[in-house]
Amino acid sequence: MTPSRFEPRARRGAAMFAASLVLGFTAGPSALPPARAGDVTDKAVMLFRDACLATAPAFDKAMAAAKKHGIKPQMDLGASLVGMAPDGSYSLQVRGKKECAVTAEKSAGPAVAEQFRSVVGAAAGVPAASLESEGPIQITMRGQAYVVRHDRKGGEAYVIMSTAGL
């Protein structure tokens, strides 16, 4: 077998690939399949789900979970831990068994708010639509009560706080 024997097949494959790219671009965004409910694509929302919601109520493994998202521990303040993505686009703050928060750069549109409600609803075992609120949302998860909040002022902040001791 010589390389020239495969050349026509490679050209044909390259041509098919190029044609599919052109068709994809000319068809526009409507050619993409619609997003399914519960799809999480925002990195900060994924971090909140995997580090904060998944490690509640103690949040003791939040920083370890965050490392899988590229978060590097920056400061250990005794009762609090702070970590940040290498590019500074999002960070994690954990305060003992009380609070876990993810902050990120501002995201346009309602998608991150929908994703936030989706992950909180899944963690609490309630429909995401029942969590539509501008203010703090109260949930019960693993037998404990929490307040969760998505604040969009100046960026994105996703917070879960234990109501014990408030």
Side-chain angles (χ1 to χ4, degrees), residues 45-62 65-66 69 100 119 123 141-142 146 160:
V45 175
M46 284 187 240
L47 175 62
F48 182 74
R49 176 194 63 201
D50 298 344
C52 295
L53 294 173
T55 66
F59 306 121
D60 56 340
K61 295 185 173 102
H69 291 270
C100 185
V119 298
M141 192 171 63
R142 297 179 196 102
Y146 296 93
I160 179 168

Side-chain angles (χ1 to χ4, degrees), residues 23-34:
L23 287 173
F25 286 128
T26 58
S30 62
L32 298 174

Side-chain angles (χ1 to χ4, degrees), residues 56-135:
F59 306 121
D60 56 340
K61 295 185 173 102
M63 196 57 73
K67 287 180 182 179
K68 296 174 186 169
H69 291 270
I71 295 292
K72 294 186 179 182
Q74 302 287 319
M75 289 184 277
D76 183 345
L77 304 172
S80 299
L81 295 170
V82 178
M84 187 171 288
D87 65 358
S89 61
Y90 53 101
S91 66
L92 174 75
Q93 303 86 41
V94 180
R95 192 168 55 104
K97 295 181 178 185
K98 299 180 189 291
E99 181 179 359
C100 185
V102 173
T103 57
E105 297 172 340
K106 183 82 173 152
S107 294
V112 294
E114 293 166 7
Q115 291 177 39
F116 172 76
R117 285 190 301 273
S118 173
V119 298
V120 169
V126 298
S130 70
L131 302 174
E132 298 209 16
S133 170
E134 289 297 316

